[in-house]
């Protein structure tokens, strides 16, 4: 069945091809999520929808799950641990905060580049690390100390750290590779299986990733897919002659 | 008269008091394990600041590139001896560079953050870099490039770090004030902010 | 002609190959933290033994008592620079550290852990503090405030540490029983340990 989401053709700066391939490449860490213009994907999808006679609710749902996943990955890469904090800000404040942090990181990257150059310039400078061979060994003396400082130090170590919200970490992505292996293993045992039967009980996100793995296997010609009717179970079998799709990836 | 001769005491040449002081400063510098500040030199020699400065300028004339294998340099806010650059190859055959060898990109970014923003905690470093900083920080501490500098205020505060004198020395800095200013990148934040607001506005309309 | 001048390269004075070699040897000696053997010097300079020996004799003429604050010494089968005897007093003042008024946060926390929970190993200290303990423990051992006290049970068990008599003296304690009580943190070392490890776990997550 052609899917309005999977086959959504994209033409972005960093990528050209169908949406599902983009997701696959991101999950396999072959494409930097930071490079992906998500707003452009949304625009492409909305245009795609309006070109059709009726609203495909299934496609909308699938798209939402997948694009949310993509956003999550991108956000997590850019601002780990910060989702909850930013969510409490007004949009303008959040934009300002985001911009400030991006600029800060970029500055630190430039500073790191300067330090690297400096190391190269300074590599001809050798100096002694540590004490001279025949130098006297100094003795360090300490003034009388208050034992209460020890108790205070331990009390500090026993104080619970401030709470960090982990709510934004709720979405966890199992690696695509995990499902690739799983489906290959099933196909070694059986010639045909139902996709739905294999992913029953998994979360929406896990199902989405499993589905990406399936598409990946079809692309590489390792499986053949068939569906008797819309909404019927997807049958996965060992491959016959399958049409290889022509996709291109443009580097950023 | 050639200046270095003034440092040499022997029969026939008058050993001026400043030469004796310069010899003492030489001695201090050759046994010190870190650059010595002017103040430390004044204290150890029990002499006056101006005379110690004169002695140092005599020594930097004698111990300079091209003239001597030992070079007097300003580093980390003090004075120290190092090998002349012409001897770098020979030094490379005998000495490792355990401090800076194999510094990763992650390590350099972390160093930059600690140098510019220190004292700074591991969670803050992680927030800026976007990845956990634990192993990178541990490796920089082990190399002696950064060191603990207390904890953040409040209960359960995280350990904070600063760069060390060794960092300044390895990167050839007399002080952190010699790090390049990054102010000019402030304009960047402006334009990014405008772009984000534009996107937010487009979405709302 | 005065010998030291032969080491000085500048306009008007010919820089003989042996002078260049002597400068390289100088450089190697000023970087070394151990005496260097003749063999090491030959290897590093990639020169021949006789010439390195000649360079060394030039250097021992230049760097000798009464003439220079830096003295070339044959020691423990190798060559090394040391301070001239005339600078002994100044060196003594440099290395005689002023009495330190306080301890760093890292040292204080580590001492507290060892005092209340000792004997305790480095990995355990690191777990509780949430940062590597190597350099802090090494420095406390060097200062005589903590000492080794056996190993953890089992093969390859980590070295454990306890506080020393010097520690008790510095903190004005007749025995560890006089340490301030920590009633609200745990009744005994065991429950204290559990509490600290629990908090450390929460901090790390």
């Amino acid at each position: 069945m052609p899917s309005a989401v999977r086959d959504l053709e994209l033409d972005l700066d960093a990528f050209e091809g169908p949406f599902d391939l983009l997701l696959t490449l991101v999950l396999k860490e072959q494409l930097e999520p930071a490079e992906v213009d998500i707003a452009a994907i949304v625009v492409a999808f909305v245009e795609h929808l309006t070109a059709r006679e009726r609203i495909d609710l299934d496609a909308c749902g699938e798209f939402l799950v997948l694009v949310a996943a993509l956003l999550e990955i991108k956000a997590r890469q850019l601002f780990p641990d910060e989702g909850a904090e930013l969510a409490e800000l007004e949009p303008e404040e959040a934009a300002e905060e985001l911009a400030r942090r991006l600029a800060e990181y970029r500055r630190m990257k430039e500073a790191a580049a300067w330090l690297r150059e400096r190391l190269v310039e300074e590599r001809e400078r050798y100096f002694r690390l540590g004490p001279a061979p025949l130098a006297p060994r100094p003795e360090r003396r300490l003034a009388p100390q208050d034992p209460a400082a020890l108790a205070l130090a331990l009390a500090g170590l026993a104080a619970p750290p401030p709470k960090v919200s982990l709510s934004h970490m709720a979405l966890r992505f199992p690696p695509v590779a995990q499902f690739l292996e799983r489906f290959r293993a099933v196909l070694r045992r059986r010639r045909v299986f139902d996709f739905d039967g294999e992913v029953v009980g998994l979360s929406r996100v896990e199902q989405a990733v499993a589905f990406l793995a399936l598409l990946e296997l079809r692309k590489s010609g390792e499986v053949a897919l068939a569906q008797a009717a819309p909404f019927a179970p997807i049958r996965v079998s060992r491959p016959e002659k399958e049409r290889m799709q022509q996709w291109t990836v443009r580097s950023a | 008269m050639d200046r270095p001769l003034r440092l040499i005491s022997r029969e026939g040449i008058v050993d001026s008091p400043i030469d004796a002081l310069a010899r003492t400063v030489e001695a201090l510098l050759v046994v010190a394990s870190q650059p010595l500040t002017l103040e430390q030199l004044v204290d150890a020699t029990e002499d006056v600041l101006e005379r110690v400065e004169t002695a140092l300028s005599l020594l930097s004339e004698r111990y300079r590139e091209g003239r001597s294998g030992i070079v007097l340099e300003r580093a980390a806010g003090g004075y120290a001896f190092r090998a002349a650059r012409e001897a770098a190859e020979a030094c490379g055959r005998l000495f490792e560079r355990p401090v800076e060898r194999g510094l990763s990109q992650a390590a350099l970014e972390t160093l930059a953050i600690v140098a510019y923003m220190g004292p700074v905690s591991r969670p803050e470093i992680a927030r800026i870099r976007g990845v956990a900083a634990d192993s990178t920080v541990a490796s920089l501490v082990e190399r002696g490039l950064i060191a603990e500098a207390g904890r953040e205020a409040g209960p359960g505060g995280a350990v904070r770090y600063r760069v060390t004198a060794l960092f300044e020395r390895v990167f050839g800095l007399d002080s952190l004030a010699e790090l390049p200013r990054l102010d000019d990148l402030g304009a960047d934040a402006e334009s990014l902010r405008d772009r984000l607001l534009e996107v937010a506005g487009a979405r709302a309309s």
Side-chain angles (χ1 to χ4, degrees), chain B residues 5-23:
Chain B
L5 283 176
R6 296 183 53 194
L7 296 182
I8 296 166
S9 144
R10 64 184 192 286
E11 300 74 23
I13 293 192
V14 178
D15 185 25
S16 86
I18 201 79
D19 293 342
L21 176 59
R23 287 201 302 273

Side-chain angles (χ1 to χ4, degrees), chain A residues 69-218:
Chain A
L70 189 56
L71 256 180
E72 170 77 14
I73 295 171
K74 181 170 173 174
R76 197 132 46 84
Q77 189 202 34
L78 292 176
F79 306 108
D81 295 355
E82 293 298 321
E85 213 176 284
L86 284 172
E88 289 161 12
L89 299 174
E90 292 298 310
E92 290 206 0
E93 292 172 328
E96 202 146 329
E97 181 64 14
L98 278 170
R100 196 183 62 74
R101 290 180 189 183
L102 281 172
E104 189 175 64
Y105 181 50
R106 199 177 292 185
R107 277 166 40 174
M108 287 310 138
K109 274 188 108 73
E110 297 212 357
W114 184 85
L115 287 177
R116 183 179 292 289
E117 271 172 41
R118 191 80 182 179
L119 268 193
V120 174
E121 285 165 22
E122 301 297 311
R123 85 187 143 203
E124 287 187 344
R125 276 174 58 250
Y126 278 83
F127 54 86
R128 195 181 59 233
L129 294 169
L134 304 171
R137 303 285 143 150
E139 193 183 315
R140 296 175 72 175
R141 288 169 304 157
L142 187 60
Q145 302 290 310
D146 182 358
L150 295 170
L152 204 64
L154 272 194
L157 287 173
K163 284 261 179 293
V164 177
S165 166
L166 296 173
S167 56
H168 64 291
M169 296 293 279
L171 276 178
R172 285 261 173 216
F173 295 94
V176 172
Q178 181 188 318
F179 287 103
L180 289 175
E181 279 319 302
R182 182 159 153 186
F183 291 147
R184 283 181 187 132
V186 174
L187 276 183
R188 278 195 292 272
R189 294 197 307 270
R190 287 186 279 155
R191 244 154 43 85
V192 182
F193 69 87
D194 278 355
F195 175 73
D196 303 54
E198 276 305 310
V199 299
V200 68
L202 298 180
S203 72
R204 284 301 301 252
V205 173
E206 284 170 322
Q207 288 187 7
V209 175
F211 189 66
L212 290 175
L214 197 63
L215 291 170
E216 187 64 15
L217 288 172
R218 190 180 77 157

Side-chain angles (χ1 to χ4, degrees), chain A residues 2 8 12 14 18 55 69 74 127 149 156 177 186 206 217-218 220 242 245 249:
Chain A
L8 178 66
L12 312 175
I55 295 286
K74 181 170 173 174
F127 54 86
V186 174
E206 284 170 322
L217 288 172
R218 190 180 77 157
S220 61
E242 273 243 315
Q245 304 199 10
V249 179

Side-chain angles (χ1 to χ4, degrees), chain B residues 148-170:
Chain B
E148 286 189 33
R151 285 182 183 268
E152 286 175 339
V159 170
R160 304 206 289 178
Y161 297 88
R162 56 169 173 75
V163 290
T164 59
L166 182 61
F167 164 85
E168 293 178 350
R169 189 132 203 234
V170 164

